[in-house]
Each structure stands twice: as structure tokens, then as C-alpha cells.
């Protein structure tokens, strides 16, 4: 089972005790997957098509608990189709969801939900849970951080973004063909989103992955830093040895001051030693700055000798 499926299974088990929260969650699922329209006989029919089994199970439970309605349910492949034909039941559901007009008939609206349904923070959390169950997905955190909810219209996507913002979740909107996608790519924000929807087990799983990733990243950064320092030290040592050999072959070490001759011989004997190790090997020992100063003098001398040689050519 994918991580996204596990999240939805967990969310489907979350049950709000307050009826207003149940209505908010049911309204989100209906607005994502359903419609109410009149047939040729003038009778209205509510149809909800849900592809995810956990979301279908949750919607069925919400209809029974909140409205005492048992819809007709058929399954075609992986799609669960809920149908409510009884006019009294249908209008009772739509009225509770604030989806009827002034005359009590189903209202065709472009936005997601009436503000009365989500005026409480608890209802907004339930609504976000329903929207994710019906049209959301989340990537495997081992690979990437990405949570999204696909909306059928621009107004729905932006209203969902506004509801998320009221819960301190920063989401973005992108158009994908004829759909508008509400999405979050920041790991900490996805953690917050899972928390407010009630997916606490999945939240902990994602957090564990994030911690491991951060630890690996920290180790890699340290290794890279140490490797870069080693490479820098090796490159510097190679340059120092080349300068020392150049001086030896041109003028010999006996022309060098005692301190420079001492450090030159030490470097040739210990090509992989650090400045501190070189300094400790001298008698008396010399600090890093002292060693660096002597090697810099050797570099300057080698430079002068090379310039003189070029001028004599």
C-alpha cells in the first residue's frame, strides 16, 4: 500500500463527534466528487462518484451518521457510485451543506463551500480532510515532499488555499490542463497539514523520514567539507614540494636560512602531514602560523628563482 493510501486509510478512521464538522467533511467530499441535477421527470438526483475506497467508506458513514440516509451504492471497477433519489433526503442533505438557493432548490455554485459551513476552525480541519480524501494525494516522503488536492475549478482551488491559510498552512495553486491543483512542497507544512487533518501516525512516519534525511544530509555535508579540506591540503602540499624541489635543484638547501631548510626537509619527509603535524615534528616545535610563514617564504623564493630563470632565457 502506498504512503498516500495509508494516509487516506488513517483519515477515513477519524470521526468527528460534532455534527457540524461531519457536515463540513461530507460537503467537501460532495463538492469534489458529486452533483445534484434534475432528470427528465423533474425529480432531482444526487450522485457522488468516489475512486478511493477509504473515501467512499467515510462518505457512506457520514451520510448515515449526519443525515440518517442510506444511499444506493454501486461499484464499477474502482469507482464507488452513491445515489440519493429520495427528494426529502436529498434536499435535507443539500440544505445542511448550504447548497440550495433561496427557493430551496439545488444551487449551481462555482466556489467550494458556503462560509457558514467552515466558520469554525474544527470545521475547516474537517473540510480539508474531506477534500484530501476525495481528491488528494501525497508522495512517498522517501522520494520527495509533495501533497496536492486536484480541484475542478479555479474558485474552488483558491478558496481551499484561503481555508488552509486560516489554519496557518501555506499552499500554492497551479493549473494542470483543465484542473487547478492546490499543492504543498515544504516538508514542515505537509507535517502540519497531516496534523490538522488528524493523520498523526502518518505524520510521525513522515517526520521520521525527514529526520533521517536531515541526518544523512548533515553527514554528507560534513564528509564533503572534510573531503574538500583534504583536497585543499593535498594540493597545497604538492605545490610546496614542487617549490622545495625547484629550490633544491637550482641553489641547494645550504643557501637557505636554517628555519627554511628545516621546514623544507620536514615537508619532503612528510608529504601528507598537516601544518600542525609539520610544526610538531620540528625541534623546537613551531606553531601552525610559524610553519605557514616559512612555507610562504619558500614559495616566494621559488617564485623569484623562476622569474630570474625566465628572464635569462
Amino acid at each position: 500500500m502506498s504512503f498516500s493510501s495509508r494516509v487516506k486509510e488513517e483519515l477515513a478512521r477519524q470521526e468527528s463527534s460534532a455534527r457540524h464538522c461531519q457536515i463540513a467533511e461530507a460537503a467537501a467530499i460532495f463538492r469534489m466528487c458529486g452533483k445534484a441535477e434534475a432528470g427528465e421527470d423533474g425529480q432531482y438526483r444526487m450522485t457522488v462518484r468516489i475512486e478511493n475506497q477509504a473515501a467512499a467508506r467515510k462518505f457512506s458513514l457520514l451520510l448515515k451518521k449526519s443525515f440518517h440516509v442510506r444511499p444506493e451504492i454501486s461499484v464499477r471497477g474502482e469507482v464507488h457510485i452513491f445515489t440519493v433519489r429520495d427528494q426529502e433526503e436529498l434536499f435535507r442533505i443539500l440544505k445542511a451543506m448550504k447548497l440550495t438557493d433561496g427557493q430551496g432548490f439545488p444551487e449551481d455554485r462555482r466556489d467550494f463551500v458556503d462560509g457558514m459551513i467552515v466558520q469554525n476552525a474544527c470545521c475547516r480541519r474537517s473540510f480539508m480532510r474531506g477534500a484530501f480524501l476525495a481528491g488528494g494525494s501525497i508522495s512517498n516522503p522517501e522520494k520527495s515532499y509533495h501533497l496536492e488536492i486536484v480541484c475542478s475549478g479555479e474558485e474552488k482551488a483558491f478558496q481551499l488555499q484561503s481555508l488552509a491559510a486560516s489554519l496557518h498552512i501555506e499552499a500554492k495553486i497551479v493549473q494542470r490542463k483543465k484542473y487547478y491543483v492546490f499543492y504543498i512542497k515544504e516538508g514542515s507544512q505537509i507535517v502540519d497539514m497531516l496534523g490538522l487533518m488528524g493523520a498523526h501516525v502518518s505524520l510521525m512516519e513522515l517526520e521520521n523520514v525527514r529526520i533521517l534525511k536531515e541526518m544523512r544530509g548533515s553527514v554528507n555535508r560534513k564528509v564533503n567539507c572534510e573531503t574538500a579540506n583534504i583536497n585543499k591540503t593535498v594540493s597545497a602540499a604538492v605545490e610546496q614540494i614542487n617549490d622545495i624541489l625547484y629550490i633544491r635543484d637550482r641553489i641547494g638547501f645550504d643557501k637557505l636560512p636554517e628555519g627554511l631548510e628545516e621546514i623544507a626537509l620536514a615537508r619532503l619527509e612528510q608529504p601528507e602531514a598537516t601544518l600542525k603535524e609539520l610544526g610538531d615534528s620540528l625541534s623546537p616545535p613551531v606553531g601552525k602560523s610559524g610553519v605557514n610563514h616559512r612555507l610562504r617564504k619558500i614559495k616566494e623564493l621559488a617564485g623569484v628563482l623562476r622569474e630570474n630563470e625566465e628572464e635569462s632565457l
Side-chain angles (χ1 to χ4, degrees), residues 165-179:
S166 72
L167 296 168
H168 310 293
I169 300 294
E170 296 181 8
K172 295 182 180 179
I173 306 294
V174 66
Q175 186 173 4
R176 187 184 298 161
K177 296 182 179 180
K178 63 178 181 178
Y179 297 101

Side-chain angles (χ1 to χ4, degrees), residues 153-278:
E154 183 178 16
E155 292 85 352
K156 288 183 179 181
F158 281 101
Q159 189 177 24
L160 195 63
Q161 183 186 43
S162 178
L163 290 174
S166 72
L167 296 168
H168 310 293
I169 300 294
E170 296 181 8
K172 295 182 180 179
I173 306 294
V174 66
Q175 186 173 4
R176 187 184 298 161
K177 296 182 179 180
K178 63 178 181 178
Y179 297 101
Y180 288 83
V181 182
F182 162 106
Y183 73 94
I184 307 170
K185 296 186 76 69
E186 174 62 41
S188 61
Q189 287 285 290
I190 293 176
V191 167
D192 291 343
M193 181 74 167
L194 291 175
L196 71 87
M197 291 191 299
H200 300 293
V201 174
S202 300
L203 180 158
M204 292 303 298
E205 184 177 347
L206 192 150
E207 277 287 56
N208 287 338
V209 171
R210 287 182 68 214
I211 291 170
L212 287 174
K213 277 188 173 182
E214 289 177 4
M215 288 178 63
R216 291 193 197 108
S218 177
V219 169
N220 287 337
R221 283 191 296 272
K222 288 180 179 178
V223 169
N224 291 337
C225 182
E226 289 176 2
T227 301
N229 288 336
I230 291 171
N231 291 337
K232 185 178 178 181
T233 300
V234 170
S235 297
V238 169
E239 289 182 9
Q240 292 158 9
I241 291 171
N242 287 337
D243 289 339
I244 291 167
L245 293 176
Y246 187 83
I247 292 170
R248 183 196 65 183
D249 295 341
R250 295 302 182 276
I251 64 173
F253 289 154
D254 57 337
K255 298 290 179 63
L256 295 176
E258 182 180 351
L260 297 190
E261 180 182 3
E262 186 183 25
I263 198 64
L265 292 171
R267 172 50 85 194
L268 291 178
E269 292 172 0
Q270 305 173 71
E272 297 179 0
T274 64
L275 296 184
K276 184 178 186 306
E277 290 168 343
L278 281 178

Side-chain angles (χ1 to χ4, degrees), residues 64-80:
K64 292 174 185 176
K65 291 191 67 173
S66 302
F67 306 105
H68 307 293
V69 170
R70 294 182 178 273
E72 301 172 21
I73 303 176
S74 60
V75 181
R76 296 179 186 174
E78 296 183 357
V79 180
H80 295 70

